[in-house]
């Protein structure tokens, strides 16, 4: 099997973002910055600019499957991160391969729609992702909007935000992932991320940046996957991934 030096190999499966701010391109930049060797499989091609997504074009299933099979047959994949998968069939193909090859670390960023409202995961694919991918995951990293869809946990009028987010963590954790991290960028108050391992909740605070954070979920999840494959504990990896994400935007 091919192995580029002594670097850990991380596979990212996601859509292509021609702006370089999110998706496959951003994932690979993140993994490279952490000293890892990134390999990639494209699930869909997007047409987008700095204002939003204009079109999404899923990669043919046979091409998607062959990309995955070819990489796993030639490389020793140390960890996998998934982003946009688009269709139920793409999700099933990825899940089937993970069941055969059992990556030690699997981080799922459940990308559902773009910031300007374009669907990036078909409605029928959401349940397939929850049923087939979540039980295999080391961590699932939804934002607040995605967590609401995945958990089905609507917020009651008198319920405090922290209580609601903890309830969503529990609902998503019950679907099978070892850890749930609900990222805090869409929160009303302090944009703290919340980590849940089935027993304990850990809040990871950070400042709110007054700028467009296009691609922040992609950067965070790929950084989290990278830190985990480097042997860092989950709690510290979440904190470092948040710091890395903030640094990327502070530098631009």
């Amino acid at each position: 099997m091919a192995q580029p030096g002594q670097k850990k190999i991380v596979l990212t499966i996601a859509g292509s973002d021609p702006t370089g701010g999110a998706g496959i391109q951003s994932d690979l930049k993140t993994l490279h910055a952490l000293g890892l060797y990134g390999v990639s499989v494209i699930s869909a091609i997007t047409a987008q600019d700095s204002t939003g997504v204009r079109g999404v074009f899923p990669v043919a299933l046979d091409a998607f499957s062959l990309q995955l099979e070819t990489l796993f047959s030639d490389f020793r994949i140390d960890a996998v991160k998934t982003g946009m998968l688009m269709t139920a069939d793409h999700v099933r193909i990825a899940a089937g391969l993970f069941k055969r090859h059992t990556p030690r670390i699997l981080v799922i960023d459940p990308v559902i729609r773009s910031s300007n409202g374009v669907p990036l995961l078909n409605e029928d694919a959401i349940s397939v992702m929850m049923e087939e991918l979540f039980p295999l995951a080391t961590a699932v990293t939804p934002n607040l909007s995605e967590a609401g869809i995945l958990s089905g946990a609507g917020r009651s009028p008198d319920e405090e935000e922290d209580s609601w987010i903890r309830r969503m963590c529990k609902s998503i954790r019950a679907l099978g992932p070892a850890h749930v991290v609900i990222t805090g960028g869409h929160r009303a108050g302090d944009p703290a991320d919340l980590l849940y391992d089935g027993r304990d909740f850990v809040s990871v605070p950070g400042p709110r940046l007054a700028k467009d954070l296009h691609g922040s979920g992609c950067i965070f999840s790929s950084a989290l996957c990278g830190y985990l494959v480097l042997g860092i504990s989950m709690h510290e990896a979440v904190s470092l991934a948040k710091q890395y994400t903030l640094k990327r935007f502070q530098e631009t």
Side-chain angles (χ1 to χ4, degrees), residues 6 8 20-21 45 61 64 79 87 93 100 157 159 171 187 216 225 228 237 240-241:
Q6 299 302 310
K8 298 284 189 180
I45 296 170
L61 295 176
F64 179 70
T87 78
I93 289 170
R100 285 189 283 120
E159 186 174 22
S171 295
R187 296 183 66 160
S216 57
C225 187
L228 290 173
L240 289 172

Side-chain angles (χ1 to χ4, degrees), residues 44 109 117 133 171:
D109 180 15
L133 275 185
S171 295

